[in-house]
Amino acid sequence: MPSEIETVALSEADVAAIRADFPILAERVNGHRLVYLDSAATAQKPEAVLDAEREFLIRRHAAVHRGAHTLAAEATEEFEDARAAVADFIGARADETVWTTNATAAINLIAYSLSNASSSAEFGRLALGPGDEIVTTEREHHANLIPWQQLAQRTGATLRHLPVDDDGALLLDELDGVVGERTRVLAFAHVSNVTGTLAPVSELVARARAVGALVVLDACQAVPQLPFDVRALDVDFAVFSGHKLYGPGGIGVLYGRRELLEAMPPFLTGGSMITTVTMERAEFLPPPQRFEAGTQPVSQVVGLAAAVRYLRGIGMDRVAGHGRGLGERMASGLAEIPGVRVIGNGERVGLVAFDLRGVHAHDVGQFLDDRGIAVRVGHHCAQPLHRRLGLTASVRASAAVHTTDCEVDAFLAAVADAAEFFERMR
Amino acid sequence: MPSEIETVALSEADVAAIRADFPILAERVNGHRLVYLDSAATAQKPEAVLDAEREFLIRRHAAVHRGAHTLAAEATEEFEDARAAVADFIGARADETVWTTNATAAINLIAYSLSNASSSAEFGRLALGPGDEIVTTEREHHANLIPWQQLAQRTGATLRHLPVDDDGALLLDELDGVVGERTRVLAFAHVSNVTGTLAPVSELVARARAVGALVVLDACQAVPQLPFDVRALDVDFAVFSGHKLYGPGGIGVLYGRRELLEAMPPFLTGGSMITTVTMERAEFLPPPQRFEAGTQPVSQVVGLAAAVRYLRGIGMDRVAGHGRGLGERMASGLAEIPGVRVIGNGERVGLVAFDLRGVHAHDVGQFLDDRGIAVRVGHHCAQPLHRRLGLTASVRASAAVHTTDCEVDAFLAAVADAAEFFERMR
Amino acid sequence: MTPSSDFATLYQELILDHAGAGEGRGETTGFQPQSHQVNPTCGDEITLGVRLIGDRIDEVRWHGHGCAISQASASLLTGLVAGSSIAEARELLARFREVMRSRGTLELDEATFGDAVALNGVSRYVARVKCAMLAWVALEDALDHAPDA
Amino acid sequence: MTPSSDFATLYQELILDHAGAGEGRGETTGFQPQSHQVNPTCGDEITLGVRLIGDRIDEVRWHGHGCAISQASASLLTGLVAGSSIAEARELLARFREVMRSRGTLELDEATFGDAVALNGVSRYVARVKCAMLAWVALEDALDHAPDA
Ligand SMILES: Cc1ncc(COP(=O)(O)O)c(C=O)c1O
Ligand SMILES: Cc1ncc(COP(=O)(O)O)c(C=O)c1O
């Protein structure tokens, strides 16, 4: 629960120093200094990340786990050191930390591996079939929904979901009815990318444990905003994307409990994940290599490790405190603007989505953009939640370590002005 | 056929100018100037690629196809312009050009999409099942073998292969026997990553056309070395990796004929590839978006477009001429060293693998590395071919646009010295 | 702070009025051919139906939800194509698309497009072109499915 | 050009001799427990069998193919563990691994490891540590499958 997380705020001077690390913040958009409130879509990169990648590429770049020459050996070391750093950042072991392209690819990896298990003698333990149930929630990102629909379609298992209330909060009362003895997988987001609020992780995990279901935690919006520890959360899998964690694009993480990863068949196949290959069959390496087919995005891994170091330098308790403060400022400021409906209630990270009555999100977004304020408009890849809330689209503002109170105030003023401007349409 | 490709050589001055574009070439390894002959594993990046990525990241970075704010709109434009540039580079249309993580992921995409077709009413046209045959060759990279083994396992189809002769050349005499009426897919490498020689693409394609099989061309080693045109080659699919094309890691390309891509079900599912999503089901966008789930690696796409521009600036006819010259110099030089067996015969790109009788590839590689010469040792992800040639490992030297005759000569001298040094062990 | 002049052009009074009034907005039952289109970025939808008399468009009706640009565009389209032949409508459509995709380099001419020239500002906003096009794509798709097509 | 001193240390005469001679190389039929190990990077393989008398290693035999480092390491291992108890062999193994993984910061001591100290140079070559470890990993795996284990 959010209130259990000890947080500390960042001072104005801290934030000013942090801002200097993000070159893009000097950009001007439509004549205004860029106010980037779309970090939940993709975070901007501190110079430390850009430099780490470039430094690697101009001095040590080589393919890893394949070469014996000096560059290749050094690159392999750096690659594995980066894995250890990222694993440590989330409380995992290095051999439980698998590189993927992004969170989407990580969830697909789990879902495809489970259906591959269903057609394999060797890995049959994790097989799914008719009668088995997969449970997700009504407020998931499409990345944590469609792969499970497809898995159900491939295996004959049934997909069910935990519904939400009118505020987009999970209906815990329904938990025992939805998650039961047939449930094999329970997949949900730690922090919703629409409401910005936290799921009751411990209750959900306890129920999954009680019925022997695997827990898949979509940690995309949690890892950049909160101290995060897979052991403390006691989940079986957790996924997140590097590009939302101030790291490069094209790199994501799948955490999986060691014994589970070992029991899972591969997903993508190809080079660097095998021991012996004949024309007829292949034998696979243990995890994490089993799941890392093909040439790995080494500079991105190095960049992600730099991002993690950068956040450690600030301290995740302070990152969380800063985000929480901004989230509250945005939510309470919005609530005061006539016609605004803030989506979601309760403690939140630095993310808030809202609807302005009678005005389409696109139009609000365009008004804000005219002042250099970048927010996200649309369904944020969560159509079912929007439908449930009676909306097709909303406006989402999401903060980062470099976001200031001042920027939030400019955002709030702009929303108020937009409300006035579009008054005639309502 | 190689001899049909018009090529022009690069002058010494050209190469000197090119070398200045690659910062890593100034590095020293074990006291020697780095001689990087491992470009077939992963190519080094010219400054233009590094700069394009950084410039994007510090000025315009945003998520694409999701946002309406200025940065997002500009990033989306740049992303699609890059697609058009890369498509044009290979003679494809932009809407036939799908971004993937690398070639491995691209081949897996095809293979999984085909098995998804097999369990889908909507996309059943491409379904595979028992009685159907998939054909690959004995000289494929594991990335173009194991995904087909797995597809066969998932669908009940049979995997067959075209064998090679003692030199690793495809046995065309066997073609009609292996590729027949039951063949649904014929997958092969344009240029072998071990022999460096070209497959007889037109003969293979003609046979596939005659029996109605789909052609999947693994163009990983071809696109960086030869003028490449999917229409001229008349293949159904072609795949390659950006990191071998002087571009960033984490980005690859799948070319697919438009009508095929349209007939294929998605592989990875999640955000940005749908139109309408309910808790029960999802409707998918047309290609290429259908196959691009999740946040895309935008800076890498921008970097790959810069790489393609860089190569265009040199001219692919000259790149090919340079590579061919270096390949011949390496192969003929090696052939003169007692105990050396060059793998593969015939015209080749700038890539040659060899065996030094009685000395393990690792030991040769270490000797070369001691002089700063980076080559690849091992089975190069082609165990079946090595087994067929009576080897477990070989040494592979692969050249790039920045490779000089001088470097090749240093390499040849080092191999000769290694042969002498390890003489006692033979 | 007042909006920039670009913004003011994009959201000029005519646009806001049309978005509000929504000429042609209503039930499409009985209108054939029809088309349903979705903007995948935001989930905006339109169902647009055409009543043909011979190869002439008698009336257009549509419903759905979307931003001011998309609603205004649907509204303006309705008035513009009513009474025109299929061929004429296709010509309008082709030109409209061309201008919208021109990134601000082309303009709709008032003689042909009347009030719809108020949409000229959109072509500078690449991310919004899809909004303005939504109704037009629906019209195109509907006409593609017309009995004689 | 002569090799660097680092290289000369890595490939010192003792290593080349052992790689060539290959103490213990031979058929492993009848040797139990056995283990088969593969180095995935290069496809090098070893099959190593142990003949136990009680909890004492009577003899080690192996065959396979690999680089000079891996062959020399197998050869040196053979002499080193013959006659030792399983527990002693495990201790050697643990120390050997520690040194090999030390990136040049630790050394095998001659009193315990004898000629095998010739492998000290390997620990500086991260990419080659797996080569030196191959036979040892096979020994470990074999001992893990010993009847009493
Ligand atoms: C011929 C060939 N095919 C496929 C691959 C796989 O490429 P990647 O590892 O970038 O996916 C490679 C290189 O590793 C290759 O040389
Ligand atoms: C909660 C949540 N899950 C999953 C994703 C998918 O992440 P990606 O697009 O990086 O794969 C996102 C972000 O887009 C997200 O916010």
Side-chain angles (χ1 to χ4, degrees):
Chain A
M1 300 304 299
S3 46
E4 287 167 18
I5 299 166
E6 295 261 348
T7 60
V8 197
L10 285 171
S11 74
E12 259 183 59
D14 290 336
V15 180
I18 288 170
R19 291 180 70 79
D21 298 329
F22 288 83
I24 203 170
L25 298 180
E27 285 300 301
R28 297 187 77 81
V29 169
N30 295 324
H32 300 266
R33 178 85 78 77
L34 168 66
V35 174
Y36 188 74
L37 292 175
D38 197 16
S39 295
T42 194
Q44 298 300 345
K45 323 298 171 208
E47 209 141 28
V49 168
L50 303 177
D51 290 348
E53 260 204 273
R54 191 180 179 103
E55 171 72 12
F56 173 79
L57 287 171
I58 68 174
R59 309 210 55 173
R60 298 182 300 280
H61 171 250
V64 302
H65 284 301
R66 291 193 181 178
H69 58 77
T70 300
L71 282 188
E74 285 175 3
T76 303
E77 260 189 86
E78 198 157 346
F79 181 74
E80 291 302 331
D81 287 350
R83 192 196 301 275
V86 172
D88 190 57
F89 185 68
I90 59 165
R93 278 167 34 185
D95 66 0
E96 298 175 320
T97 305
V98 177
W99 303 123
T100 68
T101 302
N102 51 25
T104 302
I107 296 173
N108 278 275
L109 187 164
I110 304 170
Y112 272 103
S113 179
L114 291 178
S115 62
N116 287 346
S118 312
S119 66
S120 149
E122 190 181 349
F123 295 104
R125 194 191 119 197
L126 291 172
L128 286 182
D132 289 328
E133 295 179 355
I134 304 158
V135 177
T136 179
T137 90
E138 205 176 5
R139 63 179 210 166
E140 297 310 311
H141 189 282
H142 295 159
N144 202 23
L145 170 59
I146 313 179
W148 305 118
Q149 292 177 347
Q150 299 276 311
L151 173 61
Q153 189 177 311
R154 288 195 300 274
T155 58
T158 303
L159 180 65
R160 302 186 60 185
H161 66 266
L162 192 62
V164 299
D165 67 15
D166 293 347
D167 272 327
L170 295 175
L171 281 173
L172 274 189
D173 288 353
E174 311 256 347
L175 182 60
D176 290 2
V178 174
V179 176
E181 292 302 326
R182 290 160 174 262
T183 310
R184 302 293 308 281
V185 176
L186 171 61
F188 63 94
H190 191 166
V191 172
S192 159
N193 71 315
V194 178
T195 67
T197 56
L198 279 73
V201 180
S202 50
E203 281 89 337
L204 294 169
V205 170
R207 180 62 189 163
R209 291 276 166 266
V211 301
L214 297 174
V215 175
V216 177
L217 188 69
D218 176 351
C220 275
Q221 299 298 343
V223 176
Q225 294 260 6
L226 302 170
F228 186 85
D229 187 306
V230 291
R231 298 256 180 268
L233 294 166
D234 188 29
V235 294
D236 297 299
F237 299 101
V239 305
F240 58 96
S241 289
H243 70 90
K244 295 183 200 273
L245 193 64
Y246 307 98
I251 184 72
V253 172
L254 165 68
Y255 157 79
R257 269 200 300 120
R258 182 70 196 173
E259 57 273 33
L260 278 168
L261 292 180
E262 272 167 1
M264 287 163 65
F267 164 44
L268 300 177
T269 55
S272 297
M273 48 82 73
I274 52 83
T275 53
T276 306
V277 179
T278 64
M279 286 312 292
E280 289 71 37
R281 65 188 307 277
E283 278 162 42
F284 305 114
L285 281 169
Q289 274 78 27
R290 182 185 299 163
F291 302 105
E292 295 174 354
T295 305
Q296 296 296 297
V298 189
S299 76
Q300 286 87 335
V301 162
V302 168
L304 183 55
V308 157
R309 269 197 309 278
Y310 181 78
L311 287 170
R312 282 226 148 140
I314 300 175
M316 283 309 293
D317 49 347
R318 299 167 81 212
V319 170
H322 186 60
R324 180 183 298 183
L326 294 168
E328 276 163 18
R329 193 180 189 96
M330 291 194 289
S332 58
L334 284 168
E336 281 170 24
I337 300 171
V340 165
R341 165 184 171 199
V342 171
I343 299 170
N345 248 319
E347 265 184 287
R348 65 173 72 246
V349 300
L351 186 163
V352 59
F354 66 95
D355 176 57
L356 177 57
R357 184 162 21 88
V359 186
H360 192 279
H362 256 188
D363 297 322
V364 179
Q366 196 75 54
F367 191 95
L368 268 53
D369 187 59
D370 191 50
R371 297 193 185 169
I373 303 169
V375 294
R376 176 89 183 273
V377 297
H379 51 62
H380 320 313
C381 301
Q383 283 186 8
L385 176 60
H386 277 83
R387 202 173 289 120
R388 172 66 183 80
L389 298 171
L391 303 169
T392 37
S394 62
V395 182
R396 181 183 74 185
S398 51
V401 286
H402 52 65
T403 305
T404 63
D405 284 351
C406 219
E407 289 180 311
V408 166
D409 294 345
F411 156 73
L412 292 170
V415 174
D417 289 353
E420 200 174 301
F421 179 86
F422 290 111
E423 179 65 42
R424 61 187 301 166
M425 288 193 56
R426 294 203 265 153
Chain B
M1 300 304 298
S3 46
E4 288 167 18
I5 300 166
E6 294 262 348
T7 61
V8 195
L10 285 171
S11 74
E12 258 182 62
D14 291 336
V15 179
I18 288 171
R19 290 181 70 79
D21 297 329
F22 289 81
I24 203 168
L25 298 179
E27 286 298 301
R28 297 188 78 79
V29 169
N30 296 322
H32 300 266
R33 178 84 79 78
L34 169 66
V35 175
Y36 189 74
L37 292 175
D38 198 16
S39 295
T42 194
Q44 299 300 345
K45 323 298 171 210
E47 209 140 30
V49 168
L50 303 177
D51 290 349
E53 260 205 273
R54 190 180 179 103
E55 171 72 12
F56 173 79
L57 286 170
I58 68 174
R59 308 210 55 174
R60 298 181 300 278
H61 171 250
V64 301
H65 283 302
R66 292 193 180 179
H69 57 77
T70 301
L71 281 188
E74 285 175 1
T76 303
E77 259 188 88
E78 198 157 344
F79 181 75
E80 291 303 332
D81 287 351
R83 192 195 304 273
V86 172
D88 190 57
F89 185 69
I90 59 166
R93 277 166 36 184
D95 65 2
E96 299 176 317
T97 304
V98 177
W99 302 123
T100 68
T101 302
N102 51 25
T104 302
I107 297 172
N108 277 273
L109 188 164
I110 304 170
Y112 273 104
S113 179
L114 291 178
S115 62
N116 287 346
S118 311
S119 66
S120 149
E122 191 181 347
F123 296 104
R125 192 191 122 197
L126 292 171
L128 286 183
D132 290 328
E133 294 179 355
I134 304 158
V135 176
T136 178
T137 90
E138 205 176 4
R139 63 178 209 168
E140 296 310 310
H141 189 282
H142 295 160
N144 202 22
L145 170 59
I146 314 180
W148 305 118
Q149 292 178 346
Q150 299 277 309
L151 173 61
Q153 189 177 311
R154 287 195 301 275
T155 58
T158 302
L159 180 66
R160 302 185 61 184
H161 66 266
L162 192 62
V164 299
D165 67 16
D166 294 348
D167 272 327
L170 295 174
L171 281 172
L172 275 190
D173 288 353
E174 311 257 346
L175 182 60
D176 289 1
V178 175
V179 176
E181 292 302 326
R182 291 160 173 261
T183 309
R184 302 292 308 281
V185 177
L186 171 61
F188 64 93
H190 191 165
V191 173
S192 159
N193 70 315
V194 178
T195 67
T197 55
L198 279 74
V201 180
S202 50
E203 282 88 337
L204 294 169
V205 170
R207 180 62 188 162
R209 290 275 167 266
V211 300
L214 297 175
V215 175
V216 177
L217 187 70
D218 175 351
C220 275
Q221 300 298 344
V223 177
Q225 295 259 6
L226 302 171
F228 186 86
D229 187 305
V230 291
R231 296 255 180 269
L233 294 165
D234 188 28
V235 295
D236 297 298
F237 299 100
V239 305
F240 58 96
S241 290
H243 71 91
K244 296 183 200 274
L245 193 64
Y246 307 97
I251 185 71
V253 172
L254 165 69
Y255 157 78
R257 268 200 300 122
R258 181 71 196 172
E259 57 273 34
L260 278 168
L261 292 180
E262 272 167 2
M264 286 163 66
F267 164 42
L268 301 177
T269 55
S272 298
M273 46 81 74
I274 52 84
T275 52
T276 306
V277 179
T278 63
M279 287 310 293
E280 289 71 38
R281 67 187 306 277
E283 278 162 40
F284 305 114
L285 282 168
Q289 274 78 26
R290 182 186 299 164
F291 302 104
E292 295 174 355
T295 306
Q296 295 298 297
V298 190
S299 76
Q300 286 88 334
V301 162
V302 168
L304 182 55
V308 158
R309 267 196 309 276
Y310 181 79
L311 287 170
R312 284 225 148 142
I314 300 175
M316 283 309 293
D317 50 346
R318 299 165 82 212
V319 170
H322 185 60
R324 180 182 298 181
L326 294 168
E328 275 163 19
R329 193 180 189 96
M330 292 195 288
S332 58
L334 284 167
E336 282 170 24
I337 301 170
V340 165
R341 165 183 172 200
V342 172
I343 300 171
N345 248 320
E347 264 185 286
R348 64 174 72 245
V349 300
L351 185 164
V352 60
F354 66 96
D355 177 56
L356 178 57
R357 185 162 21 88
V359 186
H360 192 279
H362 256 188
D363 298 322
V364 178
Q366 196 74 55
F367 191 95
L368 268 54
D369 187 58
D370 191 50
R371 297 193 184 170
I373 303 168
V375 294
R376 176 87 184 274
V377 298
H379 51 60
H380 321 314
C381 300
Q383 284 186 8
L385 176 60
H386 277 83
R387 201 172 290 119
R388 172 66 182 79
L389 298 172
L391 303 170
T392 39
S394 62
V395 182
R396 181 184 74 186
S398 51
V401 285
H402 52 66
T403 304
T404 63
D405 284 351
C406 219
E407 288 181 311
V408 166
D409 294 345
F411 155 74
L412 292 170
V415 174
D417 289 353
E420 199 175 302
F421 179 86
F422 289 112
E423 179 65 44
R424 60 186 302 166
M425 289 192 55
R426 294 204 262 156
Chain C
M1 214 185 321
T2 53
S4 70
S5 66
D6 276 355
F7 184 88
T9 308
L10 186 64
Y11 285 96
Q12 56 191 265
E13 231 161 282
L14 203 63
I15 296 286
L16 296 181
D17 287 345
H18 264 280
E23 190 179 342
R25 192 187 277 136
E27 254 315 311
T28 52
T29 13
F31 278 66
Q32 279 303 341
Q34 283 204 7
S35 170
H36 174 145
Q37 294 294 322
V38 178
N39 180 340
T41 319
C42 52
D44 288 353
E45 303 186 48
I46 194 167
T47 302
L48 183 145
V50 181
R51 187 161 54 213
L52 295 172
I53 298 184
D55 75 341
R56 198 154 286 279
I57 296 174
D58 182 49
E59 194 183 340
V60 169
R61 284 264 189 89
W62 55 272
H63 57 85
H65 39 243
C67 61
I69 309 291
S70 75
Q71 302 294 291
S73 185
S75 174
L76 288 157
L77 172 153
T78 303
L80 208 51
V81 302
S84 67
S85 72
I86 292 184
E88 285 160 0
R90 285 194 190 279
E91 262 174 51
L92 286 175
L93 209 161
R95 176 63 186 169
F96 187 78
R97 173 176 280 139
E98 192 186 5
V99 172
M100 286 300 118
R101 290 192 178 162
S102 75
R103 301 187 182 182
T105 60
L106 298 177
E107 295 216 326
L108 300 168
D109 68 301
E110 196 152 359
T112 318
F113 282 91
D115 281 358
V117 298
L119 289 164
N120 268 328
V122 177
S123 82
R124 216 134 4 107
Y125 294 89
V126 189
R128 306 306 299 280
V129 171
K130 273 191 191 160
C131 309
M133 287 301 303
L134 193 64
W136 295 77
V137 170
L139 175 66
E140 180 174 45
D141 186 52
L143 295 180
D144 284 349
H145 293 89
D148 283 345
Chain D
M1 217 186 320
T2 53
S4 69
S5 67
D6 277 354
F7 184 88
T9 308
L10 185 66
Y11 284 95
Q12 56 191 265
E13 233 162 279
L14 203 64
I15 296 286
L16 297 181
D17 286 345
H18 264 280
E23 191 181 339
R25 192 186 277 133
E27 253 315 311
T28 52
T29 12
F31 279 64
Q32 281 301 341
Q34 282 203 8
S35 171
H36 172 110
Q37 295 293 324
V38 178
N39 181 341
T41 318
C42 52
D44 286 354
E45 304 188 46
I46 193 167
T47 302
L48 181 147
V50 182
R51 186 159 57 211
L52 294 172
I53 300 183
D55 75 342
R56 199 154 284 280
I57 295 173
D58 183 49
E59 195 185 337
V60 169
R61 284 262 189 89
W62 55 272
H63 57 86
H65 40 243
C67 61
I69 309 290
S70 76
Q71 302 293 291
S73 186
S75 173
L76 288 157
L77 172 153
T78 304
L80 208 52
V81 301
S84 67
S85 72
I86 292 185
E88 285 160 359
R90 284 195 190 279
E91 263 174 49
L92 286 174
L93 208 160
R95 176 64 186 169
F96 187 79
R97 173 176 281 141
E98 192 185 4
V99 172
M100 285 299 119
R101 290 193 179 163
S102 74
R103 303 186 180 182
T105 61
L106 299 177
E107 295 216 327
L108 300 168
D109 66 304
E110 195 152 0
T112 318
F113 282 91
D115 281 357
V117 298
L119 290 164
N120 268 328
V122 177
S123 81
R124 216 132 6 107
Y125 293 90
V126 190
R128 306 306 299 279
V129 171
K130 273 190 192 162
C131 309
M133 286 303 303
L134 192 65
W136 295 78
V137 169
L139 175 66
E140 181 175 43
D141 186 52
L143 295 181
D144 284 349
H145 293 88
D148 284 344

